[in-house]
Amino acid sequence: MIEIKAVSKKYDGTNALALEEMSLNLNSGDFIFLVGPSGAGKSTLIRLMFREQLPTKGNIYFDKKDIASYSQRELLEHRRKIGMVFQDYKLLKQKTVFENVAFALEVLGRPPKEINKKVNDALEKVGLSHKADKFPRELSGGQQQRVGIARAIVKDPVLILADEPTGNLDRDNALQLMQLFEKINEEGTTVVIATHAWDLVDKMQKRVVALSSGKLTRDKQGGYSHE
Ligand code: ADP
Ligand code: ADP
């Protein structure tokens, strides 16, 4: 699905490379944990895959097409196919849960009837149908992140990119969230999660891609601690 080929990234005004000659293939249906210390390049890799930024060197192919060569239309379509989940949820405070999830489809210009059905389906999938009319501040952190996931899946993405999605949650909520990602993955969506939650990475037994100083240091199925 995504082929990352010898990608390097240098941010303006810095000397070090955030990513260095990174190569990686993501296959459709994969569930991948991206691990590594702070500053290793995990967020950079996610931003490059979403095409929020372009590589300094190297290429990223999505379904065989170089994403740097997209037209404006192709770029919008690319982003429609990818659901993003953030550590700080990024919910709109003045909108209800329903409206937050609906907004992801409104910006795509979908008809109200379709929006209504898809939002209800997405909220049901994350177990929050009963909170549809609440505001984010009325929800716990774990619930807010489930809204974040509903907003990501409502677009029927082929890929979900999550950057530290459990960073603000306690262990029980974090585990529940990981299990929700697992369920979404089992239904066919490819999932990539950058995380520091080592114990959960070990528990989930998925493909683990480790970065250190912008380089890939490990790519293995299973937990992290079992070599
Ligand atoms: P991680 O997500 O693994 O913590 P990042 O991708 O955020 O790693 O960072 C990789 C490196 O790139 C770090 O040295 C970081 O300071 C640098 N970096 C990240 N974002 C920027 C930016 N917007 N401008 C300059 N340097 C950045
Ligand atoms: P993370 O580790 O989750 O990437 P950070 O706290 O490193 O989060 O980065 C938060 C924000 O600061 C990001 O938008 C990133 O691009 C930016 N950033 C990180 N490092 C630098 C840097 N050295 N110079 C400028 N911006 C940076």
Side-chain angles (χ1 to χ4, degrees):
M1 168 184 279
I2 294 194
E3 191 180 359
I4 296 164
K5 257 191 157 163
V7 162
S8 298
K9 175 68 183 176
K10 188 174 120 33
Y11 289 99
D12 289 343
T14 65
N15 290 317
L17 291 171
L19 287 178
E20 187 171 355
E21 296 279 325
M22 159 84 72
S23 294
L24 179 68
N25 287 332
L26 313 193
N27 305 309
S28 186
D30 273 352
F31 188 125
I32 297 178
F33 284 117
L34 273 183
V35 303
S38 190
K42 305 179 296 294
S43 301
T44 298
L45 189 58
I46 285 177
R47 285 181 214 128
L48 290 172
M49 288 193 280
F50 192 58
R51 230 211 79 169
E52 195 179 316
Q53 287 166 343
L54 290 170
T56 311
K57 264 174 61 185
N59 304 84
I60 299 177
Y61 301 90
F62 189 91
D63 291 340
K64 311 257 187 244
K65 180 149 178 101
D66 188 335
I67 69 175
S69 74
Y70 281 154
S71 65
Q72 191 58 30
R73 232 191 86 235
E74 287 169 323
L75 178 58
L76 291 177
E77 180 57 15
H78 179 75
R79 294 191 177 151
R80 204 233 10 108
K81 289 183 192 160
I82 300 178
M84 298 287 284
V85 178
F86 309 94
Q87 174 168 359
D88 57 0
Y89 326 130
K90 295 201 194 297
L91 303 179
L92 299 166
K93 291 186 181 63
Q94 71 286 10
K95 286 186 187 283
T96 64
V97 165
F98 184 97
E99 289 164 352
N100 265 279
V101 179
F103 190 61
L105 293 178
E106 284 163 9
V107 297
L108 297 174
R110 292 303 211 277
K113 235 178 119 176
E114 180 192 331
I115 293 178
N116 210 48
K117 167 148 189 12
K118 287 202 159 153
V119 173
N120 285 326
D121 288 351
L123 288 178
E124 192 177 331
K125 197 162 282 179
V126 304
L128 285 180
S129 300
H130 60 300
K131 300 284 185 190
D133 296 326
K134 301 280 183 205
F135 288 90
R137 63 169 182 278
E138 300 177 274
L139 306 185
S140 70
Q143 289 170 336
Q144 289 186 52
Q145 190 58 293
R146 272 150 57 201
V147 178
I149 293 178
R151 180 186 54 195
I153 62 174
V154 78
K155 304 187 292 177
D156 293 324
V158 295
L159 171 66
I160 290 192
L161 299 175
D163 198 350
E164 293 286 354
T166 65
N168 292 337
L169 304 179
D170 63 34
R171 193 182 180 287
D172 281 353
N173 273 300
L175 176 59
Q176 277 181 29
L177 212 72
M178 290 299 187
Q179 288 166 339
L180 179 55
F181 280 119
E182 185 173 47
K183 183 173 104 178
I184 291 164
N185 174 250
E186 282 165 357
E187 290 172 5
T189 308
T190 305
V191 173
V192 177
I193 302 176
T195 186
H196 283 111
W198 304 104
D199 58 327
L200 295 176
V201 171
D202 260 345
K203 191 172 168 67
M204 300 293 291
Q205 294 288 306
K206 305 294 183 186
R207 182 176 167 195
V208 181
V209 171
L211 305 186
S212 178
S213 306
K215 291 187 192 146
L216 193 148
T217 55
R218 186 178 181 280
D219 183 356
K220 258 192 181 169
Q221 196 67 31
Y224 191 74
S225 58
H226 313 285
E227 284 301 321

